[in-house]
Amino acid sequence: MTENTQQQNSAPTTELPTQYAPAQVEGELYERWVERGYFEADAKSDKPAYTVVIPPPNVTGSLHLGHAFEHTLIDALTRRKRMQGYETLWQPGMDHAGIATQNVVERELAKEGKSRHDLGREAFIERVWQWKGESGGQISGQMRRLGDGVDWSRERFTMDEGLSEAVQTIFKKLYDDELIYRAERIINWCPRCLTAISDIEVEYQDDDGELVSIRYGDGDASIVVATTRAETMLGDTAVAVHPEDERYKHLVGTEIELPLTGRRIPVVADEHVDPEFGTGAVKVTPAHDPNDFEIGQRHGLPNLAVMDEHAVITVHGPFQGLDRLEARSAIVAALRAEGRIVAEKRPYTHSVGHCSRCKTTIEPRLSMQWWVKVGPLAKAAGDAVRDGRVKIHPQEMEKRYFDWVDNLHDWCISRQLWWGHRIPVWYGPNGEIICVGPDEEAPTGEGWRQDTDVLDTWFSSGLWPFSTLGWPQQTESLAKFYPNSVLVTGYDILFFWVARMMMFGLYAMDGTPPFHTIALHGMVRDQFGKKMSKSFGNAVNPLDWMDTYGSDAVRFTLARGANPGVDVPIGEDWVQASRNFANKIWNATRFALMNGATIEGELPPAEQLSAVDRWILSQLNKTVAEVDAFYEDYQFSKLSDSLYHFAWDEVFSWYVELSKTTFFAGGEQAKVSGRVLGEVLDVMLRLLHPVVPFVTETLWTTLTGRESLVIAEWPKDSGFRDEAAEAEIESVKAVVTEVRRFRKEQGLQDGQKVPARLDLTGTALAAHEAAIRQLLRLQPEGEGFSATATLPVAGATVGLDLSGTIDVEAERKRLAKDLAAAEKEKQQAEGKLGNEAFLAKAPDNVVDKIKGRLAKAEADIERITTQLANLPQA
């Protein structure tokens, strides 16, 4: 829809309800936007493209404040670009969330007394699809509540047919290029979910455990090692020491007895060992620790697994069949009985990894898995940022990115689940291994079977920027909308999702990175800066705040806290304040409409405008330029603050108030100011719309009579500036501010009228006397007027007759008492700060506190002295 087409709509109406009720507006407005296709992106368009993908929420998820925060920022960017004339695509969709979704459906089955094995693989997967259709994806409806301007016609799911083809295609390509392989290595294993899990699915927390020191061997041929996992000693195949450690050089190359097992194990020298930590000797369990596995590889040690997939001990009779925690206690007891325990520390608090889904303690486990050889892929991902093809914002986050991609280990991509993209590899009866692409026939016949594992969820979500556009097919959408313009995401998944998209995008798209800019934001925290969590009792459902204060209030609060790469504190008081801002916009626009604000006709030339009108138009254009600059730098907090202060401080608090005398007087000048006010509101509402879309849409369509702000033109800085008018109005503001301060100090009520004489001779203030008097409740000087208080300000003089308005003698006594107290405080502070002995002993924070007290006392003395001088003379 063009601006000219919008001009053909019906004339504006000035009717607005007396109060803004978000619940009565938001849902209907959003559905109207979707029905009219405003958010749909046309791949055939000749407009420049602007593309952003939604970080795909889990199909099991619901909207939390982190989603609301991120979506608000993306929506603001895409709404602005759409208004600027870009063919804008905000790509929606959901992630199948393999382990999380499987757990949800398995819990549902458990209520029926069944497991997935009772159903079998195919029936279980059908059950998951059924659950997805009935219960999954509730977050889509919640995104609508927030106002997300996504192209719903393009919604994708990582398990849908097109994305599944993309997954199989890139797996085959990586396999053929020898970048995917199968090997036995240490992985994170969840004994409850019975699958390998990625690093990002491991949550670390401090647990109370035990640290036991165990003596291996006897006499001079003995070494003490310490461990928090005594049960793994059954799988030890060596003890390692540092090559330069003189204490153990005589033992390197010999064998010592491993207690309880009857086995003898070698002592090896390895530079990985820190001789300064503990005893300088470590037990080596290659099958149950990633560092030990590497030591084992270097020294050719055997890998002895002592636990099964359920973390149950499988070796050594007395402990066989025990759960790992049961075995830990039993083994320590047995070692103690043999006199092998040198020391015990209990409780011993240390960081322990837990499965993010079921909270079970993770077990490092040697396992045959599929891996991506990330070396060349990670190098390409690092080079794309180093050579400037991809910008990371804020720039200081680049170091974290390089620290990660430059040190990536090969990526375990197989998961022992049923729900997910099944690995497209078949095994033959004679040891054959065949990887099958999407256009190839899988082998059939006796003895052929497909790998039972599925791929890590991050594998498919790593293809998101191009698989959602139809890749591997060369579609119009792919040509138009790849690469993405910007990726907006949290710094907490920089290493996982972002790095994988970079690797896969560069690999699959012939060296073209998936996005031009990576804009990183922080995490939402409570008002005290604490992480939000149900367990902390400080988690917030954003829908509750939307119900109470409206979606605009939640969005504005989140945007106003969004500094690049920095965590965002948020409290309900701040949302309430944003609701008040929305109400202020509503009430001020309503007042303006009732007083002739209009966009009809051309804006009068500058020479026909008053200084007040020229001032606000100059401020308006400065704000347009400032907001544009902040958008380009992803400074959401600063652009929101700029808009807030322009709207509230300049437009509502000053321009509207200064113009009231003009509006009330009527005539030609009132019409001119009405046109200026209409212009200001038109532009201001456009600027505010990307962040607070609902209230601005309602007000703007009422003001203009046009179809929708969503497809309106983004304001441009006309270049109009009037420094003289700005200086003139600043003088007016200075007079009003100073007299208001004085009135407050004298205890006058806001509405209390005071006779006054305004000497404005020789200043530009003369033209504003009527407005100044109205704003300050100043009556004309009458018979018997006496200027009992005189205030010089901005080159003018304001004389006030306060006789009869205050009890001067009582006020003088009160101020004298306050002055004496301030002088005493000053004297005491100066005494302490002048005492060298005190300063030598006092902590810095105490000295700083006393300096603060002195500064406050001096300011109080100056203020009170001025008040006393301004009091009427007796």
Side-chain angles (χ1 to χ4, degrees), residues 137-209:
Q138 61 174 310
I139 199 170
S140 296
Q142 296 164 344
M143 287 166 57
R144 293 170 182 263
R145 283 286 312 276
L146 188 64
D148 285 5
V150 300
D151 185 347
W152 291 110
S153 69
R154 293 173 174 266
E155 186 174 14
R156 303 303 297 268
F157 180 54
T158 50
M159 285 287 287
D160 69 27
E161 185 176 349
L163 270 66
S164 294
E165 180 186 356
V167 168
Q168 194 171 353
T169 299
I170 201 163
F171 187 100
K172 170 70 172 174
K173 181 174 170 60
L174 288 163
Y175 182 87
D176 290 346
D177 287 345
E178 298 183 349
L179 293 173
I180 281 183
Y181 64 94
R182 192 168 182 245
E184 192 176 42
R185 291 192 174 180
I186 294 286
I187 45 87
N188 300 310
W189 181 264
C190 176
R192 156 61 183 81
C193 299
L194 297 181
T195 181
I197 64 174
S198 67
D199 291 339
I200 198 172
E201 292 166 320
V202 179
E203 293 180 348
Y204 287 91
Q205 66 184 49
D206 287 340
D207 286 358
D208 284 340

Side-chain angles (χ1 to χ4, degrees), residues 269-312:
D270 195 280
E271 291 188 353
H272 169 77
V273 180
D274 180 1
E276 303 299 322
F277 184 77
T279 63
V282 296
K283 58 191 288 298
V284 182
T285 320
H288 293 278
D289 183 275
N291 294 321
D292 292 2
F293 178 79
E294 297 297 331
I295 293 175
Q297 292 290 294
R298 287 193 288 270
H299 296 278
L301 301 175
N303 301 316
L304 180 58
V306 298
M307 279 180 261
D308 65 13
E309 66 270 25
H310 297 281
V312 170

Side-chain angles (χ1 to χ4, degrees), residues 406-417:
D406 293 347
N407 297 285
L408 268 180
H409 297 293
D410 285 0
W411 170 22
C412 176
I413 56 172
S414 46
R415 299 290 179 267
Q416 290 65 55
L417 303 170

Side-chain angles (χ1 to χ4, degrees), residues 376-398:
L377 303 175
K379 181 181 184 304
D383 290 346
V385 175
R386 286 189 170 94
D387 63 25
R389 281 175 290 158
V390 178
K391 304 289 186 185
I392 293 181
H393 187 86
Q395 190 174 0
E396 54 265 27
M397 287 286 181
E398 282 187 3

Side-chain angles (χ1 to χ4, degrees), residues 829-842:
E830 287 177 333
K832 288 186 177 181
L833 293 174
N835 186 334
E836 294 296 334
F838 169 78
L839 292 177
K841 296 179 181 179

Side-chain angles (χ1 to χ4, degrees), residues 734-743 776 778 791 798 800:
V735 170
V736 172
T737 301
E738 177 62 21
V739 176
R740 279 177 173 168
R741 182 192 63 77
F742 178 76
R743 286 176 58 112
L776 292 171
L778 301 180
L791 302 175
V798 180
L800 302 174

Side-chain angles (χ1 to χ4, degrees), residues 34-93:
V34 173
E35 288 167 6
R36 292 179 178 178
Y38 294 156
F39 303 138
E40 293 181 11
D42 182 4
K44 299 180 185 297
S45 168
D46 58 3
K47 296 179 182 178
Y50 187 81
T51 316
V52 185
V53 293
I54 186 175
N58 287 353
V59 67
T60 59
S62 60
L63 191 74
H64 55 64
L65 268 178
H67 288 126
F69 173 55
E70 187 167 81
H71 290 202
T72 293
L73 305 187
I74 300 174
D75 198 38
L77 290 174
T78 52
R79 283 179 183 269
R80 172 174 175 263
K81 286 296 183 181
R82 190 178 293 110
M83 294 173 74
Q84 287 182 313
Y86 287 78
E87 193 62 39
T88 302
L89 170 60
W90 183 10
Q91 173 68 56

